[in-house]
Amino acid sequence: MFRLHQSVGAGIAAALLMVAASGVVLIFRAAFRRPTPVAPEVAAPLGLEALLARATAEAGGEAITDITLAVEPGEPYVFFVDDDAETAIYMAADGSVLERRETARGPMRLVFKLHTGELLGLPGQGLALAAGVGSVALVASGLGMIWSRRRRRT
């Protein structure tokens, strides 16, 4: 049982290290982001429906999937577009566009694809699956070894 446990552990160590390291980077991804643009204060802010209409027009008619509301003064509204570029449109309360960001090709997207195995295609996803199943096998074989040692002692 110990040899099996040792072999499985050695076999999945590199994959687990890759998943763990990329997971740590993803946890702290906010530290790597560009700062959010500052929205000017406006005397007559538009309603959310008018802002959504302007964002949809700015997106070329593509659907807006998510909206982040401006809560504090100086925060922009953020509209996320359902397109291949994963566009985020930052708008002031008067409907003026502050910035457009395409996030599909950013460094965090690359780290995410590495984390999920998607970067290497189907073999990478299979490796990520094997690492997950292998981790469960390590727990099971470890518990089996503990249980067998306790039975021998009694």
Side-chain angles (χ1 to χ4, degrees):
M1 179 75 94
F2 179 73
R3 293 272 184 218
L4 174 66
H5 182 82
Q6 192 176 29
S7 299
V8 170
I12 65 170
L16 286 176
L17 283 173
M18 178 189 67
V19 170
S22 59
V24 167
V25 171
L26 288 171
I27 287 172
F28 295 105
R29 68 181 168 257
F32 300 105
R33 284 191 188 129
R34 287 186 299 176
T36 303
V38 177
E41 290 189 39
V42 296
L46 296 177
L48 189 56
E49 291 173 359
L51 288 171
L52 179 59
R54 287 199 181 179
T56 303
E58 179 68 24
E62 294 284 344
I64 304 295
T65 58
D66 295 302
I67 303 170
T68 301
L69 301 176
V71 179
E72 299 289 329
E75 286 184 352
Y77 289 86
V78 186
F79 295 87
F80 297 93
V81 183
D82 186 18
D83 61 356
D84 291 337
E86 296 179 13
T87 305
I89 300 171
Y90 294 82
M91 296 181 87
D94 64 356
S96 62
V97 176
L98 302 171
E99 187 175 339
R100 278 179 75 107
R101 293 184 186 172
E102 294 182 356
T103 61
R105 290 176 181 75
M108 284 303 124
R109 186 68 182 157
L110 181 69
V111 172
F112 180 78
K113 286 183 175 184
L114 178 67
H115 183 73
T116 60
E118 186 181 348
L119 185 65
L120 303 173
L122 193 56
Q125 291 173 335
L127 183 64
L129 175 65
V133 171
S135 297
V136 172
L138 285 176
V139 169
S141 63
L143 290 173
M145 288 187 299
I146 290 170
W147 189 55
S148 68
R149 285 182 185 164
R150 287 184 179 216
R151 270 195 331 188
R152 275 190 242 147
R153 288 184 191 162
T154 58

